[in-house]
Amino acid sequence: MHNPDYNPEPGTRIENITFRNVSYTGDNAMPNRIYGFDQDRAVDGVTFIRLQINGQTILQAEEGHFHINEHARSIKFLAE
């Protein structure tokens, strides 16, 4: 997403990324955002395998307080 303080210009796209065995402990009060910028600069194919937040394995976006916009697709949460 465009933020002039951190990324003055949006990139092209994010695709086919796997995060494996990520663990976080904390209040998880702020939403975790996976946002594509537009149809041409989308997020496509992000997989979380064994993501744990406060000891809970996350299998759905809502469980991990994830917000995913209309320009992000094929976001998966897997136990193995």
Side-chain angles (χ1 to χ4, degrees), residues 4-54:
D5 293 333
Y6 301 106
N7 53 325
E9 189 169 317
T12 54
R13 50 187 298 121
I14 295 172
E15 58 187 354
N16 303 323
I17 304 291
T18 299
F19 296 93
R20 187 182 312 269
N21 298 324
V22 175
S23 178
Y24 168 77
T25 302
D27 65 8
N28 199 30
M30 300 297 289
N32 301 300
R33 295 185 178 129
I34 301 176
Y35 287 1
F37 189 77
D38 59 24
Q39 280 299 98
D40 295 326
R41 294 169 284 192
V43 174
D44 190 6
V46 175
T47 303
F48 294 90
I49 300 173
R50 289 185 297 278
L51 170 63
Q52 290 200 339
I53 297 177
N54 294 322

